[in-house]
Amino acid sequence: MAEFPITITLRKPIVYGNETVRSLTFEREPTARDFYDMPLLSGQYRLGDFAAVIAKVTASPPPLIEQLSLGDFNACMGVVNEYFLDSLGTGEE
């Protein structure tokens, strides 16, 4: 697993308010609380569910995350998925 903080440099910077956002920093590892609103048992995840997690762990407003290019969103998803998919294991280290 990667060490935090993890910074993703955006290939397509976002203008949000009066600021140009060029990177997002994941300050911490996602926790169980970050995934509370996801329909984990149904297995039917929506991109919006992961966008909410990305917003939480980068301390970014959700509307900013919604403006990410698909490539930048996928890069952020890679960080989240590393922990999400690993959690589907047995719980043993």
Side-chain angles (χ1 to χ4, degrees), residues 3-73:
E3 294 290 322
F4 288 88
I6 298 170
T7 299
I8 301 292
T9 300
L10 303 180
R11 292 186 287 178
K12 294 187 177 180
I14 297 169
V15 175
Y16 186 75
N18 295 328
E19 180 182 358
T20 299
V21 179
R22 300 182 187 288
S23 64
L24 290 176
T25 299
F26 290 76
E27 298 291 343
R28 61 178 177 80
E29 178 178 333
T31 64
R33 176 68 184 107
D34 296 320
F35 291 92
Y36 276 7
D37 296 326
M38 290 182 72
L40 296 179
L41 295 178
S42 72
Q44 297 179 5
Y45 314 119
R46 300 171 308 184
L47 287 180
D49 296 326
F50 285 99
V53 173
I54 292 167
K56 290 174 187 175
V57 296
T58 62
S60 300
L64 185 148
I65 301 303
E66 293 169 1
Q67 292 182 44
L68 290 172
S69 71
L70 190 54
D72 289 332
F73 185 79

